[in-house]
Amino acid sequence: MDSAATIEINMLDRAGRRGRPDGDDADGRRADTLPERARVAVDAVLLAAVAVLAVVVLLAPHSPVRPAVAFTCLALLPGWAVLTRLAPLDAATTVGLAIAFSLAADLLVAVALVFAGAWHPLPAALLLGVPSVGLVGHDLYRRGAQRGAGPTRPVSVLGSTGKDSAR
C-alpha cells in the first residue's frame, strides 16, 4: 500500500451540504461564515448609523429618532469593531458576540467614568465611538482594497530560494 495516498472524506454538514469533516470548504473557509458582502454591508450600515446619529444630535437633539439610533450604535458598533479583527463566524454567533462585546464595552466605560467622577454622555460616546468608527472604517477600507486588488498568489518570505519570484 502506498503511504502517500490520501483519503478524502466527504460528509454532510448540518445544512445537508457536502464538505470536509472539519466544516471547511476546499478554500479553507468555513461554509457557514458570514459572507464578505454581508460584512461590508454591516460596516457601511453601522458607519451610516453613526453619521445619522451625529446629524440628529447636532440638528435635532430632542428628536424621537435619537434614542433609537443611539441605542443601535451603542448595542452594535463597539462589538462589531472588535469582531472585524477576529476570524469570520456564522451570522447568529456574530450578532450575539457583537451585542455582548458592545454591552460589555459600554458598561466598562460607564463604570470607569462613574468611578473617576466624570460621568457625562459625551466623553462616554467619544471613548466608545471614535475607536469603533476607526476600526470599522479601516475594515471597510481594507475589504474594499482587497476586492479591487485582483487575484494574488502567496509568496513565502522565510526560506524562499527566490525561484518563486522568477516567474
Side-chain angles (χ1 to χ4, degrees):
M1 181 160 234
D2 186 14
S3 63
T6 344
I7 297 173
E8 183 174 331
I9 300 172
N10 285 322
M11 299 174 65
L12 295 178
D13 64 0
R14 285 179 267 171
R17 296 179 303 244
R18 292 206 176 273
R20 295 191 342 207
D22 57 0
D24 292 346
D25 282 341
D27 63 355
R29 196 170 153 254
R30 288 189 51 90
D32 56 351
T33 59
L34 199 62
E36 284 293 312
R37 286 186 179 199
R39 292 175 69 96
V40 169
V42 171
D43 285 347
V45 166
L46 285 176
L47 291 178
V50 169
V52 167
L53 180 61
V55 168
V56 168
V57 166
L58 292 175
L59 298 180
H62 301 291
S63 169
V65 175
R66 180 181 174 191
V69 177
F71 180 74
T72 301
C73 289
L74 285 173
L76 292 174
L77 186 64
W80 183 258
V82 170
L83 290 176
T84 61
R85 300 297 178 238
L86 299 177
L89 303 167
D90 64 294
T93 304
T94 301
V95 171
L97 285 175
I99 292 171
F101 287 165
S102 294
L103 296 179
D106 297 343
L107 184 64
L108 285 174
V109 167
V111 168
L113 288 174
V114 166
F115 280 145
W119 168 249
H120 193 271
L122 182 61
L126 291 176
L127 284 171
L128 288 167
V130 172
S132 298
V133 167
L135 287 172
V136 172
H138 181 262
D139 184 58
L140 187 63
Y141 173 77
R142 186 182 67 205
R143 291 186 191 285
Q146 285 176 353
R147 185 174 285 168
T152 59
R153 63 182 179 92
V155 176
S156 173
V157 177
L158 299 175
S160 175
T161 60
K163 293 179 184 177
D164 54 350
S165 61
R167 288 187 222 171

